[in-house]
């Protein structure tokens, strides 16, 4: 495990050299919001990181329901019974193991590891514009139908889940990077992913934090290049 801190956001990275899987602790005045739950074995290290910061974890927000983002969910809920768990209303279906598509959605198949035996039921089903503490929910479908990103309204930090990756080179979800192809292989719909990336770019984040790879400060130009590459591939 490796922890990197930038102001109020702390990146916790598991297997950082081989297959980086990130989750984030965001500081609020009286507690911490955990974004994503990494791998099944990650719970103890996440709790240890919170103790080092010196605040309790009160909220857990899942950016989407792939297995490498919800792995420690049940263990964390067992350790913290009062933990409030949030996910988009759409990806709550995936969390429950339902890979079916809605009638209004593109018919590309849902890909990636979808959990089959999660016991925890979300407390809050999120939609665009909802707030958990300082974090505003941004709907960013593409990687999964119900993927969300989170913008810290205090400071412009953007936690984008797998809407983009930085491991192997910055890329919009669905764009294959040979050095780290896995997010692209697990992406549901490339067109939706590109629209979501454009939406995130318009927010002008000061820090980009993603599910796989290092955080980027002042990421605007790099996001532009990733969007240009995704646009070329689709055209």
């Amino acid at each position: 495990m490796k922890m990197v801190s930038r102001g109020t956001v702390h990146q916790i990275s598991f297997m950082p050299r081989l297959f980086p899987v990130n989750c984030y602790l965001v500081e609020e005045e009286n507690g911490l919001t955990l974004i994503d739950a990494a791998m099944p074995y990650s719970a103890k290290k996440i709790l240890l990181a919170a103790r080092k910061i010196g605040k309790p974890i009160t909220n857990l927000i899942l950016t989407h329901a792939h297995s490498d983002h919800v792995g420690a969910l049940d263990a964390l809920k067992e350790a913290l019974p009062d933990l409030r768990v949030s996910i988009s209303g759409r990806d709550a279906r995936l969390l429950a193991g339902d890979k079916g598509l809605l009638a209004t959605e593109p018919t590309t198949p849902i890909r990636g590891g979808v959990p089959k035996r999660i016991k925890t039921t979300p407390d809050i089903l999120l939609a665009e514009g909802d707030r958990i503490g300082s974090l505003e929910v941004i709907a960013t479908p593409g990687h999964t139908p119900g993927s969300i990103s989170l913008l810290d309204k205090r400071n412009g930090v953007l936690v984008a889940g797998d809407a983009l990756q930085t491991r192997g080179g910055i890329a919009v979800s669905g764009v294959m990077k040979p050095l780290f192809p896995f997010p692209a292989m697990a992406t549901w719909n490339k067109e939706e992913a590109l629209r979501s990336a454009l939406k995130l770019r318009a927010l002008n984040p000061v820090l980009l934090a993603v599910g796989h790879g290092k955080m980027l400060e002042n990421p605007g130009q790099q996001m532009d290049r990733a969007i240009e590459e995704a646009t070329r591939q689709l055209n």
Side-chain angles (χ1 to χ4, degrees):
M1 184 197 83
K2 179 180 180 181
M3 187 161 77
V4 177
S5 300
R6 295 287 185 272
T8 57
V9 64
H10 307 268
Q11 181 192 68
I12 306 169
S13 183
F14 297 91
M15 301 181 293
R17 294 184 179 180
L18 298 174
F19 189 107
V21 174
N22 302 329
C23 59
Y24 294 89
L25 288 167
V26 176
E27 290 191 53
E28 301 285 357
E29 184 175 354
N30 297 313
L32 298 167
T33 294
L34 174 65
I35 302 175
D36 288 332
M39 306 296 286
Y41 59 80
S42 302
K44 289 183 180 179
K45 295 292 182 64
I46 292 171
L47 294 170
L48 176 61
R51 285 196 289 272
K52 288 183 177 178
I53 295 168
K55 293 182 179 180
I57 302 174
T58 56
N59 284 286
L60 167 55
I61 306 174
L62 301 171
T63 62
H64 60 290
H66 278 159
S67 298
D68 58 336
H69 291 255
V70 306
L73 171 59
D74 284 343
L76 289 166
K77 184 65 173 177
E78 183 177 352
L80 303 170
D82 294 330
L83 183 68
R84 293 185 296 272
V85 176
S86 305
I87 192 171
S88 73
R90 177 62 185 89
D91 259 31
R93 294 166 58 104
L94 280 184
L95 189 66
D98 180 2
K99 295 179 70 172
L101 293 167
L102 303 180
T104 55
E105 292 173 342
T107 56
T108 46
I110 294 175
R111 298 181 171 91
V114 175
K116 296 179 180 179
R117 291 181 292 274
I118 293 293
K119 299 176 182 178
T120 302
T121 300
D123 301 291
I124 303 170
L125 300 183
L126 298 168
E128 173 99 29
D130 287 348
R131 288 277 294 267
I132 301 289
S134 63
L135 300 170
E136 181 176 321
V137 175
I138 313 296
T140 48
H143 191 65
T144 66
S147 289
I148 60 171
S149 300
L150 297 151
L151 180 67
D152 193 323
K153 299 295 285 185
R154 299 170 297 184
N155 52 27
V157 170
L158 176 66
V159 182
D162 284 357
L164 296 113
Q165 68 184 75
T166 62
R167 178 72 166 187
I170 189 169
V172 174
S173 186
V175 172
M176 187 70 68
K177 288 294 181 181
L179 294 178
F180 197 72
F182 309 105
M185 294 166 62
T187 293
W188 162 61
N189 188 274
K190 295 180 182 180
E191 291 82 4
E192 290 283 349
L194 177 54
R195 282 191 283 270
S196 291
L198 287 163
K199 185 178 183 180
L200 293 177
R201 177 63 182 93
L203 298 173
N204 293 314
V206 301
L207 181 76
L208 175 66
V210 298
H212 304 282
K214 295 181 179 180
M215 295 184 285
L216 296 179
E217 295 186 28
N218 302 312
Q221 290 186 350
Q222 295 177 76
M223 293 176 74
D224 287 340
R225 289 197 296 271
I227 288 167
E228 289 170 4
E229 182 180 10
T231 301
R232 286 196 304 270
Q233 287 198 11
L234 282 176
N235 291 337

